[in-house]
Amino acid sequence: MPETAAQLKMQRETRISHGQAPHTLGSEPLAPMCWQLRGEEFLLRGEGDHYFYYRKGDGIMIERGADLDLSEESLWLNGSVYAAVASINGLLPIHASAVAYADKVFAFAGPAGAGKSTLVAALGNCGLPMFCDDTLVLDLSSPEQIICLPGHKRLKLTAEALSLTAASREERVSQTVEKFYAQPPAGHIRRVLPLAELIFLEDGPTSAFIPITGGERLTRMQDDHETAFLFAAARQFAPAEQFGHLTRLAKQIKMSRFVRPRTGSSFQEVVALAAKHVTDAGRD
Amino acid sequence: MTAIRKALDQFVETDIDDEVIIMRRDTGKLLTLPGTAAAIWRLIDGKRDRNAVIGALADAFEIEQAAIEPDVDEFLLQLRETGLLADG
């Protein structure tokens, strides 16, 4: 059940209907696999004639073309469409997977392939439930703290990650994505929680958590993932407003780097160190 | 000597931990000033001239003025070239 105004808003704004969607928000036709965002409207075209149209207050309209792969539809809906709806409604989606401990969220950020989902799944074996996979939506409406909305996506893992984490394998994600849905070993957390720490995953020869301080905290928030582009397109901040936004995040979010080797032989040791970091920090 | 003034309409700034972070309004480019650079920046208050900045910095770090003059002059020149100081 939704607990907060932000959750209620997302539940309301992501309701789905089917029908004919506009095919452009401008004068030029929208190419496949592209999106447009204008004010309070968002339009995404998937493969072929598969359109997703959102207008604030009206929810999401899906127009399905011929030869549709429904497994792809859920990926679009839970990916770019959800992030766009969140952004248009003042929420901040960031590219991160997270676990919960002691009623706080510990999020792991990094580019695609950095190992976010694998680490979150493996931390389930240490008793840490998953909070979200791939996208973490932040509610910035309270000046005192940053609140995280529980994840809306199912955990997706590669065959190798399933083998490393022993997470229970479910169906394949889609024909085009070589990943499988999986159940996180310690289950999901479904309630809003404050953000405790944002941890950036990096490769390196030895495992260590290194605090991020000073100006680097601000530059780290300049993500180059599509979620950041959607937020920027939705908010249309002037440079000074963007600076104020980033400054707030930099000052309120504790950040660190988690440098670790990516070899299979070191995996359990790396996971144990991450679990210790989260549980130690959670007790503070 | 003339007081050194920041070009306040050209940038926004904030402190995070002990560093000063400046963003140019026109380009959005970020500049991080750590340590001594942050200390010099904070001493530029529109009243101090070059000698007063050097004197205050030398007092704060308990070092001879002559030892820091070249570095302060170079840093002030960089700030001016970057457009973060007002003319005059």
Side-chain angles (χ1 to χ4, degrees), chain A residues 72-100:
Chain A
E72 296 284 346
E73 182 171 285
S74 67
L75 292 176
W76 288 116
L77 273 174
N78 289 323
S80 299
V81 177
Y82 193 94
V85 173
S87 297
I88 288 170
N89 285 280
L91 302 165
L92 172 62
I94 63 172
H95 190 206
S97 300
V99 296

Side-chain angles (χ1 to χ4, degrees), chain A residues 213-215 218 239 243 247 251, chain B residues 12 14-15 17 19 21 23 25:
Chain A
T213 60
L218 196 146
F243 186 73
T247 296
K251 289 187 174 181
Chain B
V12 285
T14 190
D15 284 19
D17 300 324
E19 295 182 348
I21 297 92
M23 189 197 73
R25 286 178 183 274

Side-chain angles (χ1 to χ4, degrees), chain A residues 270-284:
Chain A
V270 164
V271 173
L273 181 61
K276 183 176 185 310
H277 178 88
V278 167
T279 52
D280 287 352
R283 287 190 202 102
D284 289 346

Side-chain angles (χ1 to χ4, degrees), chain B residues 8-57:
Chain B
L8 295 173
D9 57 339
Q10 297 297 311
F11 63 87
V12 285
E13 66 173 299
T14 190
D15 284 19
I16 299 179
D17 300 324
D18 56 352
E19 295 182 348
V20 175
I21 297 92
I22 299 167
M23 189 197 73
R24 283 194 59 114
R25 286 178 183 274
D26 54 352
T27 62
K29 192 173 176 183
L30 292 171
L31 176 67
T32 298
L33 305 180
T36 313
I40 296 170
W41 179 258
R42 292 187 184 109
L43 288 169
I44 300 172
D45 58 1
K47 297 172 187 166
R48 290 186 177 91
D49 62 14
R50 177 248 186 207
N51 290 343
V53 167
I54 290 171
L57 190 69

Side-chain angles (χ1 to χ4, degrees), chain A residues 196-269:
Chain A
E197 188 173 359
L198 184 55
I199 300 159
F200 292 86
L201 296 179
E202 296 177 12
D203 295 354
T206 53
S207 300
F209 277 87
I210 302 158
I212 296 175
T213 60
E216 188 183 351
R217 295 159 68 84
L218 196 146
T219 54
R220 286 276 181 167
M221 294 312 300
Q222 291 183 305
D223 196 358
D224 61 357
H225 187 259
E226 184 171 72
T227 51
F229 301 146
L230 286 164
F231 185 79
R235 306 319 297 170
Q236 292 288 307
F237 283 144
E241 291 175 307
Q242 173 71 2
F243 186 73
H245 166 71
L246 294 175
T247 296
R248 182 202 167 175
L249 298 176
K251 289 187 174 181
Q252 284 193 314
I253 301 175
K254 180 183 174 188
M255 297 181 202
S256 59
R257 301 160 58 209
F258 182 29
V259 182
R260 81 281 191 234
R262 298 286 296 277
T263 56
S265 60
S266 61
F267 184 72
Q268 296 306 332
E269 192 179 317

Side-chain angles (χ1 to χ4, degrees), chain A residues 36-167:
Chain A
Q36 297 170 322
L37 196 155
R38 305 270 189 279
E40 297 186 338
E41 291 180 284
F42 173 77
L43 178 66
L44 182 146
R45 183 177 178 186
E47 292 183 16
D49 293 321
H50 198 186
Y51 289 89
F52 302 81
Y53 172 63
Y54 167 75
R55 186 167 65 184
K56 190 172 182 177
D58 292 349
I60 299 163
M61 166 77 75
I62 300 177
E63 180 181 336
R64 290 174 172 166
D67 302 326
L68 184 67
D69 179 351
L70 283 177
S71 62
E72 296 284 346
E73 182 171 285
S74 67
L75 292 176
W76 288 116
L77 273 174
N78 289 323
S80 299
V81 177
Y82 193 94
V85 173
S87 297
I88 288 170
N89 285 280
L91 302 165
L92 172 62
I94 63 172
H95 190 206
S97 300
V99 296
Y101 180 73
D103 288 336
K104 288 175 262 191
V105 173
F106 294 82
F108 298 92
K116 301 182 292 296
S117 302
T118 307
L119 182 57
V120 161
L123 286 171
N125 294 322
C126 306
L128 298 172
M130 185 175 94
F131 188 80
C132 71
D133 182 39
D134 194 55
T135 303
L136 176 63
V137 177
L138 303 179
D139 177 1
L140 308 177
S141 60
S142 166
E144 289 81 29
Q145 60 180 348
I146 292 173
I147 297 294
C148 306
L149 272 59
H152 60 288
K153 292 182 179 180
R154 294 169 67 190
L155 176 63
K156 296 192 289 286
L157 295 174
T158 62
E160 183 188 6
L162 280 162
S163 159
L164 278 169
T165 62

